[in-house]
Structures are given as structure tokens and as C-alpha cells.
């Protein structure tokens, strides 16, 4: 009975439910989007350029179902419009203008147009009519100009994100006081009127509900007198404060401790100019901190022990400072710590035993320090949750038994330059989650274990370079994961090249013992491959057929045994092409002229022939390095060569070229004309390694001080003209001797006549001058003796005459450098018949022959700059790739700290500028 009753009741309830549901469904179907709003959306779309066709659904009848549009189920009004990177699955998917028709969407509660490209637009005043908005996100939209006061109408706003635009300006902030419900404000990368600077925080913090405040990249003034202005504010209820990248200096940042309260949970001061010791106040006052980012400052001294008081701290980032001293004893306090980044400091000593008590650690990064000592199983077994371990570039040794099974599952392992060998670490086999593995330069002398390629199914980045790892590579076409990036260079791998994963993005296999052909290139599209370095192996066969599908930034096939003709690169090599020192024959094919952005073309040391094609000058205008040395080219040097305004190294030596050196030509080579025209770059050499930056230190073999020399590290500073070993005749154009930026000039072994122009005294950068074995005549100009950097000189076997200018460095060169000039006399050669008053009479034998002084006279600055060269190409390559490949950006940028990301983006911007000025 009771049971029956309940059953009926249940049935009844069920029926009610069903009818409610159908009714509801019915209503939902009846509600259609309002025609006015539909029209407004369509007009809004009209103002946009939809390159990727992300709004293809817009236009069908039911606008509530359009991509990015959300309607109220009750009223049918459009209440949300989210056209951001996540919903559209594309960065900068939409370009164009913000149409005024947006105001017809009066019921909008949430508007998110972030990461669209509205460059040239201001934030429109009409936004003020959308007064129901609670969420407004116009970040990363390339908006510029003044922020309108009309935003003050949006009194319901909870979130106002205008960050990371194109330098929005705030003339005024009074309107903010109307927005009394705001909880998040992001004005990062904006600028504020001077009148606001001193009262900025008062104006913002008038909103007592504010919890999250992002003002990164806002460039606060460094004026110390502003200090008490800040003091008048208190960040009473703030829990998140971002003042990164704001030019804060230690002299004006101490006020922070007087205004922040112990409620602060997250504080980002990265990318400022804070120096001195890290203040104890962080540990003493901001006791609730869970996330503290002090990276990319100039903090010095040891890590203060007071930081260890922050018991709730989960993330501590101290990377890229000048911290020294050893790690303080943890004493079991950092129990909550999950992320610790100490990379790029100068921390010394061994890792204290207590350190491993931070048992919740998931990310431990201490790369590029001077840590010492041995890390053993007993240490690593304590950090059970470790996912990322980066201790590369320290002096650490690992003592782990071959059968050790760690309790963690790493995703990132970077131990480059740690002491791990001689055996390949067997425990790596257990780390099946690993996606990035760097064991380069770790003294491993072992065969790569057979399990390797099968045990790490998620491996995407692999660097095993600079070891003595041997073995053959199995078929890798279905091994590795995602977009594999592989560096096995400088090892002892041998055998044929296998098949590789079709999505491979970079393959560094240089300096091994691979042989056979490169047929693997034909087996797959390799549409993502941007770098292929197979140099210094024993590969052979011809190069035909398989390059059509890839767009390579760097292709290095030099120092192998490839033969046949240069294949058809139809516009698909962008940056660097090395084919040097092979056995290639035929001519330079016209198809090369389509690789218009090439900066390096190196075909030296082959058996190529024909004339130098004019299109090298007309089509390859970005060339920085051109080497065709050691081939069989003949004919004149085409005047089109003179169009190569970016050129820095032009090496046409050891061919059969004839005719004259083109006139009025070298003036066009701006790098030769200006002294020290090279660009110093602050980030040089500071690679954060894959995936953000990789360094391709480019290289080229040139004749340097009379010998062949592979230039790489100091490449960027080198400016060189080498026309030696040809049959060039005529005079040396005087303008060559006016090139203040030229470092090496080699015209030897030709049929040149005439004399060395007096202008030679202007060659302030000249280090090497070789004009030997010509028919040059006349006296040696005195100016040659005054060149400040000249370290190698060869004038032998010409017809020079007269007295060698005395009392100059010319006396310091070995007399053989003047041999074979019948009319030449004076020190270091025997005396002239005419008495020489200034000569002291000590002759050549005592003189120092500078030419053997190989330790390059290039100085530290030059070292810097060379890395830069690699940097420019390499950096651009990877940043370029990341900009293009969104999946990459997601996958990797996520792992990187905000600050590194912005650092790199800054750098990317810088590089883009650099390229514009330098390479375009
Ligand atoms: C509107 O519908 C969606 C799903 O259709 C639901 O998640 C949401 O709660 C509904 N909102 C209201 C106010 O009914
Ligand atoms: C702002 O709000 C006021 C009053 O609600 C209204 O009169 C005015 O038109 C609005 N202005 C803008 C630009 O939204
Ligand atoms: C700070 O407050 C003090 C007293 O409240 C006042 O005298 C001073 O002018 C204020 N300074 C600024 C810059 O607002
Ligand atoms: C911060 O407060 C301390 C006292 O708590 C005071 O000595 C110091 O001068 C204040 N600093 C600033 C910059 O106001
Ligand atoms: C691999 O490691 C070596 C040595 O540590 C380094 O020089 C090289 O740049 C790394 N390769 C890549 C692709 O990052
Ligand atoms: C170079 O290639 C030619 C054929 O084109 C061949 O006869 C010769 O043996 C090769 N030389 C070397 C050193 O491999
Ligand atoms: C120098 O370069 C310009 C183009 O940049 C070209 O028009 C001119 O002809 C070049 N000079 C010579 C001598 O080729």
C-alpha cells in the first residue's frame, strides 16, 4: 500500500519532470535571437577581416548558435560575445575595426575580444553604452590611444582587462571610482599621464573590492621622491599584485612593504631593476605569500633565510639574478613549495641535505649556477612529485645505481653538463612521461640502449649531443611524439640514416659517422622541418628530388660526400644554406634565386662551374655570407654582386675568375664601409634553450691570416673580402681602401696591377691584408703602418719599390712578407742604399711574426657579437615557429614563467626590429 503510494508519487514526479523538461526545451527552441542583435552582429562582422574563416557560422538563421555568441535562455538576448584565442582557436584570428553596431548588443554581460588585432583602433567611447557588462576583456588587441572616460559607465564591471595592448594611455582615472564592484584590473603595458603617476595607486585602490591588480610593463618612474606618494595608498585587500617589467629600482621599491598587507598571496616583481640583497621583509611581512616572482632583476648576495619563513609558499622564482652564496638550510620549513626556479644565478656550494625535504616539489630548476657535489638516490627519492628537473650547467655529479627506480614521473629532465657517464642512465627508462630530455655533454660513452626509443613515448625534445654515444638509429618514423626536435650531434652514431617522424621540426645530426644517402627526406613530407644539420658525416649520393615539401630555415649538408648537381630548392630554404665541402658539380641553378631571404649561401669546396650568376645580386638581397670559394667558376665578377648591401663575408677565392674588380661597388656594402657596424645585443648567449630559443652558431670556412680557419664564434664581427687565387687583373679600385669596417682583405694570387692607395690609412678595422703574388707596384703607403689592428700583412711577390715606411708596425712583420719585391728595402729588409736616419739597424730576425698569434685578436665584445649572429638566425627561427604554430605555444609557453615569456617576446620584438634594420 505504502509502496504503491510512493510508486504513484514517483511516477507523478517523473511526469512533471518530463513535462517541465519538454516545456523548457520547447521554450528554448522558440526563443530566437533578436533581429536587431543579429543585424548588429553581422555589421560587426563586416568591420572585421576574417582571414581564417573563423566566423563562417555567422549568417545562418539562429545567431545564438554562432561561434562565440551566447544568449540568455530566458530572454534570447545576446549576453556574451567571446571571440578570443580559445574560442576561435587562433591567435589574431580577427583583424579590422570595432564596429559601432556593437552597442545594439545592449544586454551583453560578457565581452571578450582578446587577442584580436585591432591595430590602429582606440577603445571606442560607445563601449560606455554597454552598461550591463560585468566582464570586459580587450587584452592583447593591439589597441592604442587614450582610454575613454566612458568606461566609467560600466558600473557592473567585475573584470576589466585592457592589458598588453599597444601602449594604451590613461589621461585620467577618475572614472574608475564609479566601478565599485571591480575585482580584477589589468592595465599592463599601458602608460599613465604624468599627473597620475604620483597618485596612481590612490586612484586605483579607491576600489575596495579590488583583489587582482596587474600593472606589469607600465614603466613607473624611478624618481625617488615619488616614494611617499605610494605610501599614502594601502593595498588593503589585494591578493594578487603584478608590477613586473615596470622599471622599479631598489631605491624606490621599499615602499611596497609599507603598503602591502599580509593578505597578499601573489606578487610579481620580475623584470625590474631591483638590486642589492633580497630584503628580509618578503619573508617577515608578506606572510601569506604563495607565489613570489623576483626573477630577472639584479638581486645580489645569498638567498636570505627569511624567505624560508613563508610556510605557504608554493612558487618561488629567483631566476636571472646575481645571487651568490650557497643554498640556505631548509630546516623542513618549505613544506608547501611546488615550484622553485633558481636558474641563471651564481649560487655555489652543494645542495643541502634538508633541501630535499621540500617533498611537494614538482618543478626544480637551477640551471646555470655553480652548484657542486653529488646527487644520489637518497636525495631524489624524497621528492615524489617531481615533474621537472633542470640542473644543467652546474658541476653536479649523479650517483644513481643502474637498477634504481625513481618514484617520480618526470616530464622534463635537463642535466646537460652534469657528470652522468660513462653509462647511459638506465633509470631514464622508467620515465615514460618525459617530453623533454637533455643529457648533452654528460660524459656518456656508451651505446644507446635498445629500449630507448620505445620507452619514452612522449618524448618530443631530445638533446644527447656532445657525448660518445654510439649505435645505429632504428626506424624513427613512428617513434617520438608531437613535433620532435632532435639533437644527436657530436657523437659516434653510425650507419644509414633511418626514417624520421613526419612532424620532425629540427634534426641536428652533425659530427657523427652516418653514411649512405639521405633518401629519408623523400619518405615523408616533413612539412614542419625547419632545421636540418647533417654536416660532418660521410653521407653521399645526390641531393635530388626531395626538397619540394619543406620550408627550411637552416639546411647544412656541408662536409659530406654528396655528389651530382645542386638540387632544385624552389624558394624553400629561408635562412642558411651550407653545401660546402662536398663533391657537387654543375652550375648554380637558377632555382636558388627563388630562396630570396637567404642570409647564408655557402657552396665552397665543390666542383661547381659556370659564371657567377647575376641573380645572386639581384635576387638574394639579404645575403650576409656568400662563399663560392674553391670551385671552378669562371668569367667576370658580375656587377650585380654590388647589390648585396647586407653582405659581410664575400669569398670568391680559388676559382678561375677573370676580368676586373667592379668599380663603385664596395661602397654599397654598408657593413664594410662603417667601422664597428655590428650590433651588440644584450641577450646574446642567454639561451633559455628549447623551445624558446635555440642558438645556431653559424660557421664558415675562410682564409684567415694565411690559413684556412673555420669561423663560428667570432663570425659576426668578421667582414671579409677574399678574391684570392683567381685571374683577376686591372687595378685595385681605390674605394676598397676606404672601407673602414673591413677586417680581412685577401686579393693574393691574381694579376692585379697598380698600387696600394694612400686611402689605406682609413682602414681602421683591418686585421689581415694579403695582396701577395700580384703585380702591384709603387711605394708602400705610410698609412699602412698606422693601422691600429693590422696583425697580418703579406705584400710578397709583387713589384713594390722604395723604402718600407720606418718606425711603424711594418717592421714587426717577418721579412718573408716583403719577399720578392725587387725594389723594396729598409727594415725588416736590408737597408736601403740611401742612408736611413730613423732606422736603428736591428733587422727582421728579432721581429715578432704576429701572424701565428692565433688566439684571435678579437676581443670579448666580438665574442658576444658572434653568438648574436647565431642568435639572430636561430632565435628568429624558433620564435618564428612559435608564432606560427599555436599548438607549440600552448604546449610550451605554459610551462614557462610569465616573465620568461615576456622577456622572450620583448626579445622577439627586438629581433624583428633588428631584422628590419639589418636584414631587410
Ligand atoms: C541556460 O542553458 C544552459 C544550457 O543549455 C544551462 O547550462 C544554463 O544553466 C541555463 N541558464 C539558465 C539561466 O537557465
Ligand atoms: C553614460 O551614462 C549616462 C547616464 O547613465 C548616459 O547618459 C550616457 O549617455 C552614457 N554615456 C556613454 C558614452 O555611455
Ligand atoms: C599623503 O598623505 C599626507 C597626509 O595624509 C598628505 O599630507 C600628503 O600630501 C599626501 N601625499 C600625497 C602625494 O598625496
Ligand atoms: C615604512 O615603514 C617604516 C616603519 O614601519 C618606516 O621606518 C619607513 O620609513 C617606511 N618606509 C617608507 C618608504 O615609507
Ligand atoms: C644541445 O646541447 C648542446 C650542449 O649542451 C648545446 O650546445 C646545444 O645547443 C643543444 N642543442 C639544442 C638544439 O638545444
Ligand atoms: C666526385 O664525383 C664524381 C662523379 O661526379 C666521381 O667520379 C668522383 O669520384 C667523386 N669524388 C669523390 C672524392 O668522391
Ligand atoms: C648599389 O646598390 C644600389 C641598390 O641598392 C644599386 O642601385 C646600385 O647600382 C649599386 N651600385 C652598383 C655600383 O652596383
Amino acid at each position: 500500500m505504502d509502496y504503491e503510494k510512493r510508486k504513484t508519487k514517483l511516477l507523478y514526479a517523473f511526469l512533471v519532470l518530463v513535462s517541465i523538461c519538454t516545456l523548457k526545451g520547447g521554450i528554448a527552441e522558440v526563443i530566437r535571437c533578436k533581429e536587431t542583435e543579429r543585424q548588429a552582429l553581422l555589421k560587426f562582422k563586416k568591420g572585421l577581416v576574417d582571414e581564417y574563416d573563423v566566423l563562417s557560422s555567422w549568417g545562418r538563421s539562429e545567431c545564438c548558435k554562432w561561434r562565440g555568441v551566447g544568449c540568455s535562455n530566458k530572454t534570447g538576448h545576446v549576453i556574451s560575445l567571446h571571440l578570443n584565442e580559445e574560442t576561435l582557436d587562433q591567435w589574431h584570428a580577427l583583424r579590422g575595426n570595432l564596429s559601432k553596431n556593437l552597442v545594439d548588443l545592449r544586454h551583453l554581460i560578457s565581452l571578450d575580444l582578446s587577442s584580436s588585432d585591432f591595430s590602429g583602433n582606440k577603445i571606442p567611447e560607445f563601449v560606455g553604452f554597454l552598461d550591463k557588462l560585468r566582464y570586459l576583456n580587450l587584452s592583447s588587441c593591439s589597441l592604442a590611444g587614450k582610454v575613454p572616460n566612458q568606461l566609467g559607465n560600466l558600473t557592473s564591471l567585475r573584470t576589466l582587462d585592457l592589458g598588453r595592448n599597444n601602449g594604451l594611455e590613461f589621461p585620467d582615472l577618475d572614472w574608475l571610482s564609479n566601478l565599485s564592484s571591480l575585482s580584477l584590473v589589468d592595465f599592463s603595458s599601458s602608460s599613465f599621464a604624468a599627473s597620475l603617476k604620483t597618485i596612481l595607486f590612490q586612484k586605483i585602490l579607491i576600489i575596495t573590492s579590488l583583489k587582482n591588480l596587474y600593472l606589469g610593463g607600465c614603466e613607473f618612474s624611478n624618481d625617488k621622491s615619488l616614494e611617499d606618494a605610494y605610501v599614502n595608498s594601502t593595498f588593503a585587500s589585494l591578493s594578487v599584485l603584478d608590477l613586473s617589467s615596470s622599471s622599479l629600482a631598489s631605491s624606490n621599491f621599499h615602499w611596497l612593504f609599507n603598503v602591502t598587507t599580509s593578505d597578499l598571496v601573489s606578487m610579481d616583481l620580475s623584470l625590474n631593476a631591483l638590486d642589492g640583497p633580497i630584503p628580509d621583509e618578503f619573508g617577515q611581512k608578506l606572510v601569506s605569500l604563495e607565489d613570489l616572482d623576483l626573477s630577472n632583476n639584479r638581486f645580489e648576495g645569498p638567498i636570505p633565510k627569511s624567505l624560508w619563513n613563508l610556510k605557504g609558499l608554493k612558487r618561488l622564482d629567483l631566476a636571472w639574478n646575481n645571487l651568490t652564496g650557497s643554498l640556505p638550510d631548509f630546516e623542513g620549513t618549505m613544506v608547501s613549495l611546488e615550484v622553485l626556479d633558481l636558474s641563471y644565478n651564481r649560487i655555489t656550494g652543494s645542495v643541502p641535505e634538508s633541501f630535499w625535504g621540500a617533498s611537494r616539489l614538482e618543478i626544480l630548476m637551477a640551471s646555470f649556477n655553480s652548484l657542486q657535489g653529488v646527487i644520489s638516490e637518497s636525495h631524489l627519492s624524497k621528492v615524489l612529485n617531481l615533474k621537472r628537473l633542470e640542473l644543467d650547467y652546474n658541476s653536479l655529479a649523479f650517483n644513481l645505481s643502474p637498477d634504481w627506480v625513481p618514484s617520480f614521473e618526470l616530464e622534463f629532465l635537463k642535466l646537460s653538463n652534469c657528470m652522468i657517464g660513462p653509462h647511459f642512465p638506465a633509470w631514464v627508462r622508467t620515465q615514460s612521461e618525459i617530453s623533454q630530455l637533455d643529457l648533452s655533454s654528460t660524459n656518456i660513452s656508451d651505446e644507446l640502449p635498445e629500449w630507448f626509443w620505445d620507452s619514452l613515448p612522449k618524448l618530443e625534445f631530445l638533446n644527447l649531443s656532445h657525448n660518445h654515444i654510439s649505435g645505429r638509429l632504428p626506424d624513427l618514423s613512428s617513434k617520438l611524439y608531437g613535433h620532435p626536435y632532435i639533437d644527436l650531434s657530436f657523437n659516434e652514431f653510425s650507419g644509414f640514416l633511418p626514417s624520421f617522424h613526419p612532424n620532425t621540426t629540427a634534426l641536428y645530426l652533425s659530427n657523427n659517422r652516418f653514411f649512405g644517402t639521405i633518401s629519408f627526406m623523400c619518405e615523408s613530407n616533413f612539412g614542419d622541418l625547419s632545421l636540418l644539420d647533417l654536416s660532418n658525416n660521410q653521407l653521399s649520393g645526390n641531393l635530388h628530388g626531395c626538397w619540394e615539401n619543406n620550408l627550411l630555415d637552416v639546411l647544412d649538408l656541408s662536409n659530406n660526400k654528396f655528389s651530382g648537381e645542386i638540387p632544385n630548392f624552389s624558394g624553400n630554404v629561408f635562412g642558411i644554406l651550407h653545401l660546402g665541402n662536398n663533391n657537387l658539380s654543375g652550375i648554380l641553378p637558377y632555382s636558388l634565386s627563388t630562396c630570396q631571404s637567404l642570409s647564408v649561401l655557402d657552396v665552397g669546396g665543390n666542383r661547381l662551374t659556370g659564371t657567377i650568376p647575376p641573380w645572386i645580386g639581384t635576387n638574394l638581397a639579404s645575403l650576409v655570407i656568400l662563399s663560392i670559394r674553391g670551385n671552378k667558376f669562371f668569367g667576370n665578377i658580375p656587377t650585380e654582386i654590388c647589390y648585396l648591401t647586407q653582405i659581410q663575408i664575400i669569398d670568391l677565392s680559388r676559382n678561375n675568375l677573370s676580368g676586373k674588380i667592379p668599380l663603385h661597388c664596395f661602397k654599397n656594402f654598408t657593413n664594410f664601409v662603417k667601422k664597428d657596424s655590428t650590433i651588440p645585443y644584450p641577450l646574446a648567449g642567454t639561451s633559455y634553450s628549447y623551445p624558446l630559443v635555440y642558438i645556431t652558431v653559424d660557421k664558415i670556412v675562410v682564409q684567415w691570416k694565411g690559413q684556412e680557419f673555420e669561423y663560428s664564434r667570432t663570425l659576426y664581427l668578421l667582414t671579409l673580402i677574399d678574391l684570392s687565387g683567381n685571374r683577376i687583373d686591372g687595378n685595385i679600385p681605390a674605394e676598397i681602401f676606404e672601407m673602414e669596417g673591413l677586417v680581412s682583405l685577401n686579393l693574393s694570387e691574381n694579376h692585379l696591377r697598380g698600387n696600394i692607395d694612400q686611402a689605406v690609412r682609413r682602414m681602421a678595422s683591418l686585421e689581415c691584408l694579403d695582396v701577395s703574388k700580384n703585380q702591384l707596384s709603387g711605394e708602400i703607403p705610410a698609412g699602412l703602418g698606422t693601422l691600429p689592428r693590422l696583425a697580418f700583412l703579406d705584400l710578397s711577390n709583387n713589384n713594390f719599390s722604395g723604402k718600407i715606411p720606418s718606425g711603424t708596425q711594418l717592421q714587426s712583420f717577418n721579412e718573408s712578407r716583403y719577399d720578392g719585391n725587387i725594389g723594396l728595402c729598409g727594415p725588416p729588409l736590408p737597408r736601403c742604399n740611401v742612408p736611413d736616419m730613423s732606422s736603428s739597424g736591428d733587422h727582421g730576425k728579432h721581429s715578432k711574426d704576429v701572424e701565428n698569434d692565433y688566439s684571435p685578436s678579437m676581443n670579448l665584445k666580438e665574442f658576444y657579437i658572434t653568438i648574436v649572429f647565431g642568435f639572430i638566425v636561430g632565435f628568429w627561427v624558433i620564435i618564428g615557429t612559435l608564432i606560427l604554430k599555436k599548438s607549440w605555444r600552448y604546449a610550451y609557453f605554459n610551462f614557462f614563467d610569465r616573465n620568461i615569456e615576456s622577456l622572450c617576446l620583448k626579445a622577439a620584438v627586438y629581433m624583428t626590429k633588428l631584422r628590419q634594420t639589418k636584414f631587410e
Side-chain angles (χ1 to χ4, degrees):
M1 183 64 198
D2 214 39
Y3 173 74
E4 280 297 306
K5 231 182 185 171
R6 257 168 77 188
K7 211 169 133 189
T8 357
K9 243 183 176 170
L10 266 174
L11 191 64
Y12 180 70
F14 177 72
L15 284 175
V16 169
L17 207 71
V18 167
S19 48
I20 287 175
C21 289
T22 33
L23 199 65
K24 238 189 142 193
I27 290 169
E29 248 163 49
V30 169
I31 287 181
R32 298 225 177 266
C33 82
K34 308 287 184 240
E35 189 54 26
T36 48
E37 297 182 347
R38 189 170 178 274
Q39 288 306 325
L41 285 168
L42 285 176
K43 284 179 185 152
F44 174 64
K45 182 187 173 183
K46 261 202 177 140
L48 300 172
V49 181
D50 182 8
E51 221 173 296
Y52 302 91
D53 208 19
V54 289
L55 300 185
S56 54
S57 60
W58 286 38
R60 291 189 211 125
S61 58
E62 179 51 66
C63 78
C64 293
K65 298 208 171 118
W66 294 354
R67 197 170 187 181
V69 177
C71 296
S72 154
N73 341 5
K74 284 203 195 108
T75 63
H77 285 297
V78 174
I79 52 170
S80 70
L81 183 58
H82 287 183
L83 301 178
N84 52 29
E85 190 179 5
E86 285 72 42
T87 52
L88 302 181
D89 215 19
Q90 177 69 45
W91 168 259
H92 271 3
L94 298 169
R95 287 186 291 127
N97 295 313
L98 276 164
S99 146
K100 197 167 173 163
N101 300 88
L102 263 186
V103 295
D104 290 335
L105 303 175
R106 272 300 163 77
H107 300 268
L108 269 188
I109 294 175
S110 177
L111 177 61
D112 183 348
L113 302 176
S114 60
S115 59
S116 300
D117 181 0
F118 298 123
S119 38
N121 279 298
K122 296 179 178 177
I123 296 179
E125 293 173 4
F126 62 72
V127 169
F129 290 110
L130 300 173
D131 54 5
K132 296 216 167 58
L133 278 183
R134 285 200 225 161
Y135 179 90
L136 176 60
N137 189 345
L138 297 176
S139 64
S140 305
C141 283
S142 311
L143 292 160
K146 297 200 162 80
V147 175
N149 296 343
Q150 281 78 359
L151 282 174
N153 268 17
L154 310 181
T155 51
S156 309
L157 271 189
R158 310 279 152 84
T159 295
L160 176 57
D161 188 349
L162 305 178
R164 301 172 301 287
N165 272 295
N166 232 349
L168 287 175
E169 299 157 40
F170 288 83
D172 180 18
L173 276 174
D174 286 335
W175 51 270
L176 253 187
S177 58
N178 298 342
L179 312 186
S180 55
S181 313
L182 270 181
S183 127
L184 183 150
V185 164
D186 189 339
F187 291 162
S188 51
S189 306
S190 303
S191 61
F192 298 94
S195 59
L196 281 175
K197 291 236 163 173
T198 58
I199 46 173
L200 184 65
F201 290 111
Q202 277 114 307
K203 291 285 180 192
I204 294 178
L205 296 164
I206 205 161
I207 305 153
T208 50
S209 54
L210 202 60
K211 290 259 177 275
N212 298 19
L213 178 58
Y214 299 92
L215 295 174
C218 289
E219 301 286 328
F220 298 119
S221 169
N222 254 332
D223 187 349
K224 199 172 190 308
S225 68
L226 295 180
E227 216 170 75
D228 40 77
Y230 295 114
V231 177
N232 276 7
S233 323
T234 30
F235 296 176
S237 58
L238 273 193
S239 66
V240 174
L241 178 61
D242 177 358
L243 296 176
S244 61
S245 214
S246 307
S247 307
L248 290 177
S250 281
S251 56
N252 72 351
F253 105 109
H254 233 81
W255 54 269
L256 265 175
F257 299 115
N258 289 31
V259 297
T260 44
T261 64
S262 59
D263 291 341
L264 209 61
V265 171
S266 165
M267 178 136 156
D268 186 350
L269 296 175
S270 63
L271 289 157
N272 280 300
L274 306 175
D275 56 9
I278 294 177
D280 281 325
E281 279 93 336
F282 285 110
Q284 285 161 357
K285 283 203 66 182
L286 308 179
V287 292
S288 306
L289 276 183
E290 290 178 9
D291 186 342
L292 178 60
D293 191 343
L294 302 178
S295 64
N296 288 284
N297 279 290
R298 300 173 201 152
F299 284 119
E300 298 159 25
I303 299 173
K305 219 176 158 190
S306 53
L307 273 187
W308 281 195
N309 292 343
L310 298 170
K311 295 209 170 42
L313 203 61
K314 291 189 178 147
R315 178 174 172 274
L316 176 62
D317 192 345
L318 303 176
W320 297 91
N321 279 290
N322 293 321
L323 299 171
T324 50
S326 49
L327 284 173
D329 213 326
F330 263 54
E331 288 171 359
T333 52
M334 301 293 268
V335 283
S336 309
L337 203 60
E338 291 167 7
V339 178
L340 178 62
D341 190 350
L342 305 173
S343 317
Y344 297 94
N345 281 290
R346 291 182 283 134
I347 300 169
T348 54
S350 56
V351 182
E353 214 52 47
S354 63
F355 180 89
W356 304 103
S359 59
R360 295 213 184 146
L361 264 186
E362 289 178 16
I363 297 183
L364 171 57
M365 304 205 279
S367 314
F368 292 90
N369 280 289
S370 304
L371 293 168
Q372 297 162 355
V374 178
I375 292 186
S376 66
E377 283 161 41
S378 66
H379 301 136
L380 292 178
S381 332
K382 290 185 186 152
V383 278
L384 305 175
N385 299 317
L386 209 58
K387 297 213 163 3
R388 179 168 190 158
L389 180 63
E390 299 191 2
L391 298 173
D392 43 327
Y393 295 90
N394 283 287
S395 305
L396 292 166
F398 282 77
N399 180 11
L400 304 168
S401 85
D403 41 12
W404 178 54
V405 179
S407 38
F408 47 67
E409 283 273 14
L410 293 177
E411 289 164 19
F412 295 78
L413 177 61
K414 297 201 174 177
L415 300 179
S416 176
N417 283 275
C418 293
M419 184 69 191
I420 292 179
H423 297 297
F424 197 90
W427 63 272
V428 168
R429 185 179 190 172
T430 62
Q431 301 296 297
S432 57
E433 296 293 316
I434 272 194
S435 79
Q436 297 193 19
L437 177 63
D438 186 349
L439 296 175
S440 63
S441 215
T442 50
N443 292 64
I444 300 175
S445 300
D446 199 356
E447 199 166 326
L448 191 65
E450 264 174 39
W451 51 258
F452 184 80
W453 301 103
D454 292 312
S455 306
L456 310 175
K458 299 196 175 161
L459 195 60
E460 191 164 13
F461 171 80
L462 173 64
N463 192 349
L464 297 178
S465 72
H466 296 87
N467 284 295
H468 296 280
I469 303 176
S470 56
R472 298 185 172 218
L473 299 182
D475 182 344
L476 295 177
S477 52
S478 56
K479 309 273 157 72
L480 301 177
Y481 179 80
H483 294 84
Y485 187 110
I486 305 170
D487 188 349
L488 303 177
S489 60
F490 295 91
N491 276 295
E492 289 164 21
F493 288 103
S494 60
F496 295 119
L497 291 175
S499 304
F500 290 92
H501 194 292
N503 296 340
T504 303
T505 50
L507 259 183
Y508 295 82
L509 301 177
S510 71
N511 296 82
N512 279 288
R513 297 174 191 161
F514 292 112
F515 50 79
T517 67
I518 51 167
S519 55
F520 78 93
M521 279 302 292
C522 304
E523 284 163 18
S524 202
N525 261 342
F526 294 112
D528 292 332
L529 196 63
S530 38
L531 182 146
L532 179 61
D533 183 356
L534 301 176
S535 63
N536 292 293
N537 280 289
Q538 286 142 39
L539 298 164
S540 57
N542 71 48
L543 298 174
H544 276 285
C546 312
W547 305 100
E548 288 74 22
N549 299 315
N550 9 86
L551 299 171
L552 290 160
D553 291 304
V554 179
L555 176 60
D556 191 344
L557 302 176
S558 60
N559 292 301
N560 280 289
K561 295 176 180 163
F562 292 114
S563 55
E565 297 185 347
I566 293 180
N568 196 355
F569 296 112
S570 27
N572 51 348
V573 183
F574 288 125
I576 297 181
L577 178 60
H578 283 288
L579 300 173
N581 292 318
N582 279 291
N583 188 18
L584 299 170
S585 51
I587 59 166
L588 283 176
Y590 183 70
S591 64
L592 266 182
S593 71
T594 55
C595 300
Q596 298 198 348
S597 52
L598 270 191
S599 54
V600 177
L601 175 60
D602 163 25
V603 296
N606 283 290
R607 300 189 297 126
L608 299 167
T609 184
T611 53
I612 301 176
W615 50 254
I616 286 198
T618 50
N619 292 26
L620 307 184
S622 309
L623 276 186
V624 176
I625 296 179
L626 171 64
S627 174
I628 62 165
R629 72 192 309 261
N631 280 289
K632 295 174 182 163
F633 289 101
F634 55 81
N636 291 341
I637 300 173
T639 51
E640 284 81 359
I641 286 279
C642 313
Y643 299 158
L644 297 174
T645 52
Q646 308 298 316
I647 201 85
Q648 247 179 269
I649 292 179
I650 180 159
D651 189 346
L652 313 180
S653 63
R654 288 159 208 273
N655 280 288
N656 283 320
L657 300 172
S658 54
K660 300 187 166 41
I661 299 175
L663 273 180
H664 310 303
C665 179
F666 296 90
K667 275 187 214 146
N668 265 7
F669 301 167
T670 48
N671 292 314
F672 291 0
V673 175
K674 280 178 288 166
K675 194 179 161 206
D676 296 329
S677 56
T678 42
I679 315 146
Y681 182 60
L683 277 178
T686 53
S687 142
Y688 208 70
S689 82
Y690 175 84
L692 286 173
V693 179
Y694 67 76
I695 295 191
T696 320
V697 177
D698 201 38
K699 56 176 193 208
I700 192 86
V701 176
V702 293
Q703 175 105 329
W704 174 247
K705 298 188 180 177
Q707 279 175 304
E708 287 205 349
F709 187 72
E710 184 175 285
Y711 248 95
S712 60
R713 295 203 162 271
T714 46
L715 188 56
Y716 194 70
L717 196 87
L718 187 61
T719 48
L720 173 143
I721 299 176
D722 191 345
L723 306 178
S724 65
N726 282 293
R727 295 186 288 124
I728 299 169
D729 54 25
N731 290 338
I732 306 175
E735 73 202 42
I736 286 199
F737 296 111
E738 291 169 10
M739 293 190 291
E740 295 182 31
L742 190 62
V743 172
S744 179
L745 176 63
N746 191 345
L747 302 173
S748 68
E749 295 184 67
N750 278 295
H751 306 312
L752 294 165
R753 288 181 305 268
N755 48 20
I756 297 182
D757 197 273
Q758 291 290 347
V760 73
R761 67 177 182 280
R762 294 173 55 182
M763 302 190 77
S765 310
L766 197 67
E767 291 189 42
C768 304
L769 176 64
D770 189 348
V771 294
S772 63
K773 299 186 187 154
N774 279 291
Q775 288 134 42
L776 297 170
S777 55
E779 296 199 354
I780 296 173
L784 195 56
T786 60
L787 298 184
R789 296 189 187 163
L790 193 66
F792 177 88
L793 176 71
D794 197 341
L795 304 178
S796 64
N797 298 302
N798 279 289
N799 297 325
F800 288 116
S801 57
K803 187 171 138 300
I804 297 173
S806 56
T808 67
Q809 59 174 339
L810 294 180
Q811 274 68 48
S812 67
F813 296 105
N814 192 303
E815 57 181 278
S816 65
R817 300 299 166 198
Y818 301 97
D819 272 356
N821 289 286
I822 295 173
L824 212 52
C825 62
L829 296 178
R831 276 175 209 240
C832 299
N833 291 333
V834 191
D836 175 16
M837 305 317 290
S838 63
S839 168
S840 59
D842 64 332
H843 292 174
K845 295 278 177 259
H846 310 281
S847 65
K848 183 181 74 163
D849 197 350
V850 195
E851 85 198 78
N852 290 327
D853 176 12
Y854 237 93
S855 59
S857 55
M858 303 223 152
N859 48 35
L860 198 67
K861 177 182 149 229
E862 297 161 39
F863 171 74
Y864 251 103
I865 293 168
T866 56
I867 301 199
V868 179
F869 180 78
F871 206 72
I872 287 173
V873 179
F875 187 92
W876 177 250
V877 169
I878 194 70
I879 290 289
T881 321
L882 287 174
I883 287 171
L884 296 174
K885 292 182 185 146
K886 195 190 116 203
S887 60
W888 275 42
R889 268 192 291 128
Y890 273 150
Y892 300 111
F893 276 132
N894 280 345
F895 290 112
F896 285 84
D897 312 318
R898 226 181 135 97
N899 53 348
I900 293 297
E901 182 182 340
S902 45
L903 185 80
C904 287
L905 289 179
K906 269 188 173 182
V909 171
Y910 185 87
M911 296 315 300
T912 318
K913 281 190 196 149
L914 209 64
R915 275 177 69 86
Q916 276 159 4
T917 53
K918 191 75 190 150
F919 286 89
E920 279 166 26

